[in-house]
Amino acid sequence: MTVSTGRRERKKAATRQKIADTALRLFLERGYEAVGIRDVAAEADVAVTTVFAHFASKEALVFEQDENFEQRLARAVTGREPGEPLIPALRREIEALVRHCSAAEALPIWRMIDETPALQEYEQSMRLRHAEALAAAIAADPDLARTTTECRTIARFAVDAYSLAREAADPDAALDEIFRMVEAAWAATVRPGETVADQAVASR
Amino acid sequence: MTVSTGRRERKKAATRQKIADTALRLFLERGYEAVGIRDVAAEADVAVTTVFAHFASKEALVFEQDENFEQRLARAVTGREPGEPLIPALRREIEALVRHCSAAEALPIWRMIDETPALQEYEQSMRLRHAEALAAAIAADPDLARTTTECRTIARFAVDAYSLAREAADPDAALDEIFRMVEAAWAATVRPGETVADQAVASR
DNA sequence: TTAGGAAACACTAACCGTTAGTGCTACGGT
DNA sequence: ACCGTAGCACTAACGGTTAGTGTTTCCTAA
């Protein structure tokens, strides 16, 4: 458990980065399907097995940096201001994520993803994992006493919002419409006879 | 465009059915991953290429009969009683679909699906396609004047409901909770100043 | 009835993602 | 300085999938 920032780890990280950069460059140059793992390995000057030592699959090469997506969603819930209602906090984070994907630099990548079925499937799997993590974070919040099903449902709705907004022509407008619906869905989970604490503190 | 029920089509259908039956049997006997396409082809006494002439992928062998899922969802919208509100109609259909999956006969199959990542990914892809089809059906209904985003959103929510209910310990109770949320989300799409025709006719 | 043509199917051989097995090398902890 | 191990290479293979090619079968139109 030593925190050594040794040459070893630096080299490993460098190799990983080199592979990821090479892969992304080749994918964008020639198209995802037209580039084989063997091409990537050769161009990055590593063995095929080394590629798979760093990345679980070919698709993972594309989503290299989006590993923190899951943590960001969960932290938007666990790390929000005390008393701040859930949905606005979620929305703020998702808005940031959508903007991040819509950045000019990331656009060709997302175009490639939208054109490649294998990458879309992979992204859906990621989203499902993210939804599960988000549901766990929501369920763990003592301020939000909801059933497991309700937590899982609102988590799904939230990642749906991300996905739908990213595909929309006008992401900001889409987020408005979608979160009006998400907010209503969440409000409907409050049992009659319970305090509406989560809602009451609202109004920013 | 002849509707001939010729020998040819019967033979084709028979071959297809034989392949699907053989595959499902082998999968359940030995496990999905332990059975190769070559095994299925040999056992069904056809060539490997013939298998792929009938099914687009190995996973498609498992979901052979669920092709009509998409049509059922869309028809639940387009074919509902005039004046019947959208959400109850959707719920009725989804409830039926969930029950269909929970039938004793289908249980081992779903156990296999839940245990196999490749099958789960495939099913997610299917669900996304179904959501798109459902969104199109909702958008095409003149009684429901909603934006494209709202239609796509509620369609996603509906297939989420199916997915979540199927995984829940008590599907019926889960459907209650989830559809309370879906109903609220849909109600939130009504613009202030518009008639609430869709809601007003409700009550049964 | 028959000729034409297309669809279904078979077979071979390969491509591609992925993994197992094996071993070498270089670095870090002691 | 030494040893353990992590990183990496290499070969070979497995399993899903497809291309190319040829053959049989059977619908259809003359």
Side-chain angles (χ1 to χ4, degrees):
Chain A
M1 288 300 170
T2 51
V3 201
S4 59
T5 324
R7 190 171 315 166
R8 202 164 199 152
E9 310 192 358
R10 255 178 294 131
K11 278 200 175 181
K12 177 171 182 176
T15 301
R16 181 193 162 91
Q17 199 59 42
K18 185 177 183 183
I19 294 171
D21 292 346
T22 305
L24 203 54
R25 179 170 57 81
L26 291 186
F27 289 160
L28 291 176
E29 279 176 12
R30 311 182 200 164
Y32 178 78
E33 316 227 68
V35 177
I37 289 284
R38 290 162 179 88
D39 299 329
V40 174
E43 185 86 6
D45 198 31
V46 297
V48 172
T49 45
T50 303
V51 174
F52 284 106
H54 286 276
F55 299 92
S57 68
K58 186 186 180 187
E59 294 90 49
L61 284 166
V62 174
F63 294 96
E64 179 237 350
Q65 36 196 341
D66 296 69
E67 295 295 326
N68 44 13
F69 194 112
E70 195 166 316
Q71 300 171 3
R72 288 188 59 170
L73 270 187
R75 217 165 292 170
V77 174
T78 59
R80 69 190 198 280
E81 296 293 313
E84 186 183 12
L86 173 70
I87 304 298
L90 265 181
R91 171 174 178 159
R92 220 184 327 112
E93 190 63 33
I94 287 175
E95 203 165 335
L97 290 168
V98 170
R99 259 194 252 279
H100 183 261
C101 296
S102 307
E105 186 208 46
L107 265 181
I109 299 178
W110 284 102
R111 227 178 57 88
M112 177 178 76
I113 294 170
D114 289 338
E115 284 169 353
T116 312
L119 291 176
Q120 295 208 56
E121 276 197 33
Y122 186 85
E123 205 220 340
Q124 285 173 242
S125 278
M126 281 181 50
R127 279 208 304 266
L128 208 62
R129 284 208 320 274
H130 299 161
E132 290 303 324
L134 178 57
I138 295 173
D141 190 323
D143 293 349
L144 318 167
R146 302 298 202 286
T147 68
T148 304
T149 296
E150 286 165 343
C151 294
R152 307 219 316 150
T153 303
I154 206 70
R156 288 275 189 118
F157 288 5
V159 299
D160 283 340
Y162 163 76
S163 159
L164 289 164
R166 201 178 57 67
E167 293 173 14
D170 181 347
D172 283 324
L175 272 180
D176 270 345
E177 295 184 53
I178 300 168
F179 264 93
R180 203 175 299 133
M181 299 169 75
V182 173
E183 182 83 63
W186 183 242
T189 63
V190 177
R191 295 292 174 291
E194 288 187 24
T195 54
V196 210
D198 183 52
Q199 306 284 325
V201 195
S203 78
R204 198 222 147 51
Chain B
M1 285 301 171
T2 52
V3 203
S4 60
T5 325
R7 191 171 315 164
R8 201 167 202 148
E9 310 193 357
R10 255 178 293 130
K11 279 201 175 180
K12 177 170 181 176
T15 301
R16 181 193 161 91
Q17 199 57 42
K18 185 177 184 183
I19 294 172
D21 292 346
T22 305
L24 204 53
R25 179 170 57 80
L26 291 185
F27 290 160
L28 291 176
E29 278 176 15
R30 311 182 200 164
Y32 179 77
E33 316 226 68
V35 176
I37 289 285
R38 291 163 178 88
D39 299 329
V40 174
E43 185 86 6
D45 198 32
V46 296
V48 172
T49 45
T50 303
V51 175
F52 284 105
H54 286 276
F55 300 92
S57 68
K58 187 187 181 186
E59 293 90 52
L61 284 166
V62 173
F63 294 95
E64 179 238 350
Q65 36 195 342
D66 295 69
E67 294 296 327
N68 44 11
F69 194 112
E70 196 166 317
Q71 300 172 4
R72 288 188 60 170
L73 270 187
R75 217 165 292 171
V77 175
T78 59
R80 70 192 197 277
E81 296 292 313
E84 185 183 13
L86 173 69
I87 304 297
L90 266 180
R91 172 175 177 159
R92 218 182 330 112
E93 191 63 34
I94 287 175
E95 203 165 333
L97 291 168
V98 170
R99 259 194 251 279
H100 183 260
C101 297
S102 307
E105 185 207 47
L107 265 182
I109 299 179
W110 284 103
R111 228 179 57 88
M112 177 178 76
I113 294 171
D114 289 338
E115 284 169 352
T116 311
L119 291 177
Q120 294 208 57
E121 276 198 33
Y122 187 85
E123 205 220 340
Q124 285 174 242
S125 276
M126 281 181 50
R127 278 208 306 266
L128 207 62
R129 282 207 323 274
H130 299 162
E132 289 303 323
L134 178 57
I138 295 174
D141 190 322
D143 293 349
L144 317 166
R146 302 299 202 285
T147 68
T148 304
T149 296
E150 286 165 345
C151 294
R152 306 218 317 149
T153 303
I154 206 70
R156 288 274 189 116
F157 288 5
V159 299
D160 283 339
Y162 163 76
S163 159
L164 289 164
R166 202 178 56 68
E167 294 172 15
D170 181 347
D172 283 324
L175 272 180
D176 270 346
E177 295 185 53
I178 300 167
F179 263 94
R180 204 176 299 134
M181 299 169 74
V182 173
E183 182 83 64
W186 183 242
T189 63
V190 177
R191 296 292 174 293
E194 287 187 24
T195 55
V196 211
D198 183 51
Q199 306 284 327
V201 195
S203 81
R204 186 236 137 54

